[in-house]
Amino acid sequence: MTTAAAPLDTREHILANGQRIMAGKGFSAVGINEILTAAGVPKGSFYHYFGSKDAFGEALLDTYFDDYLAELDATLQDGTHTASQRLMTYFAHWQDTQSFFDCQGKCLAVKLGAEVADLSEAMRLSLKRGTAGIVDRLTQAIDAGVADKSLKIAGASKDMAQSLYQLWLGASLMVKISRTTQPFETAMATTRQMLHLPR
């Protein structure tokens, strides 16, 4: 069993180090050697698991979104709260973990999105799949909120989910530019307004 688990652990170890470093520096500014040095593995290990840096980037984004969506599912499926409370918990967590100080690898879509979408079609498609998964889950949560009467919306739930996600992506970018958390506070107030929630 130990022999079978080791290769998977090495791959995940490389990806985890890559995510941590690239969440701070971006994709282009980080070389393979920097990731391998941090991971403490030889260069041959990298090309054993990833055919190229682009392939590594695609795997990095796929892994990131798998983890992100699992965490989002756990938040939005918490049956002890109303659907609107679960949604606001998600956005409050976003606000708490994606500051300009240290996003702790939680903001990879924001950090790499604009950069890699023009560099690699495979990475762009990974971003497209991942963000579509987030919007789908927000749509389901909004539908649940309408059903349990904990929120109200004007228009289609998918359009609302798309608008909210874009609102928070934009706020994350503005937080980095302005070096203040005011854009998140504005996004939170706008979210409450769009879902007809009390302030």
Side-chain angles (χ1 to χ4, degrees), residues 129-156:
R129 288 191 301 271
T131 55
I134 295 170
V135 171
D136 284 346
R137 283 159 173 80
L138 294 179
T139 301
Q140 293 168 19
I142 291 168
D143 285 338
V146 171
D148 72 13
K149 302 186 186 322
S150 62
L151 62 84
K152 297 178 183 176
I153 59 169

Side-chain angles (χ1 to χ4, degrees), residues 77-148:
Q77 293 172 10
D78 178 0
T80 62
H81 298 90
T82 66
S84 66
Q85 288 172 329
R86 298 193 293 268
L87 269 171
M88 296 314 293
T89 295
Y90 166 64
F91 289 122
H93 183 68
W94 184 322
Q95 184 174 14
D96 290 342
T97 59
Q98 300 194 24
S99 76
F100 55 90
F101 293 113
D102 179 13
C103 68
Q104 302 167 354
K106 298 288 186 184
C107 51
L108 210 60
V110 175
K111 184 70 179 181
L112 301 187
E115 177 188 359
V116 305
D118 292 332
L119 292 177
S120 163
E121 181 65 4
M123 283 191 280
R124 184 189 71 79
L125 291 175
S126 179
L127 284 161
K128 185 178 179 182
R129 288 191 301 271
T131 55
I134 295 170
V135 171
D136 284 346
R137 283 159 173 80
L138 294 179
T139 301
Q140 293 168 19
I142 291 168
D143 285 338
V146 171
D148 72 13

Side-chain angles (χ1 to χ4, degrees), residues 165-177:
Y165 186 60
Q166 291 172 358
L167 168 69
W168 280 88
L169 277 182
S172 293
L173 181 59
M174 289 308 299
V175 162
K176 291 182 180 299
I177 293 171

